[in-house]
Amino acid sequence: MDIQPIKNERDYDQALAAIERLWGAEEGTEAGDKLDILLILVEDYEDKHHRISPPDPVDAIKFRMEQMNLTRKDLEPCIGNRGRVSDILNRRRELSLAMIRNLHSRLSIPLESLIGEA
């Protein structure tokens, strides 16, 4: 089994091509074992070099509003009065911890999305 560490994009592309060729290999076979190892290596490389950042908190709220067909008024129980909702959606004010908890529990917006990047 000739498997090498993924050190650069070329190695990464080769590993993805090998995964594509091996896809569907049965567990417990040499091909299946190779596929498992390659998947672990690719996942590790992607975590380090192709990290996907969580969305901006306001973008996450707007996305959920669109998904659930909500209006700004619908956010008032989670965020506060109309002015406060406007300030949040126009990025003039940061979300408070209470707002984050309310949005998460009432609208099921992931905490990672509401907290944003530090």
Side-chain angles (χ1 to χ4, degrees):
M1 196 181 319
D2 185 31
I3 297 178
Q4 302 295 319
I6 300 174
K7 297 178 183 176
N8 53 47
E9 287 295 312
R10 183 171 178 254
D11 294 344
Y12 173 70
D13 290 339
Q14 289 175 345
L16 289 177
I19 287 171
E20 191 171 326
R21 285 190 306 273
L22 293 168
W23 199 255
E26 290 191 35
E27 284 188 48
T29 65
E30 186 175 343
D33 291 346
K34 187 173 183 177
L35 177 62
D36 288 343
I37 293 168
L38 285 169
L39 288 170
I40 291 167
L41 290 172
V42 165
E43 182 179 8
D44 181 64
Y45 184 83
E46 287 175 344
D47 286 346
K48 292 176 183 169
H49 301 284
H50 295 267
R51 190 162 178 255
I52 298 173
S53 300
D56 171 80
V58 173
D59 290 338
I61 294 168
K62 289 179 178 180
F63 179 71
R64 180 64 81 206
M65 287 174 69
E66 185 178 315
Q67 283 183 318
M68 298 176 73
N69 200 28
L70 301 174
T71 65
R72 288 176 175 235
K73 180 134 183 88
D74 296 324
L75 294 180
E76 290 179 14
C78 299
I79 294 177
N81 64 37
R82 182 176 60 169
R84 177 83 28 98
V85 171
S86 178
D87 286 347
I88 294 296
L89 294 179
N90 290 312
R91 303 173 198 280
R92 290 189 297 260
R93 179 185 289 261
E94 298 288 323
L95 290 169
S96 70
L97 186 55
M99 291 175 198
I100 290 170
R101 286 182 179 146
N102 285 334
L103 289 163
H104 173 68
S105 65
R106 294 179 186 203
L107 302 180
S108 299
I109 300 174
L111 289 173
E112 301 81 24
S113 298
L114 293 169
I115 294 169
E117 280 197 34

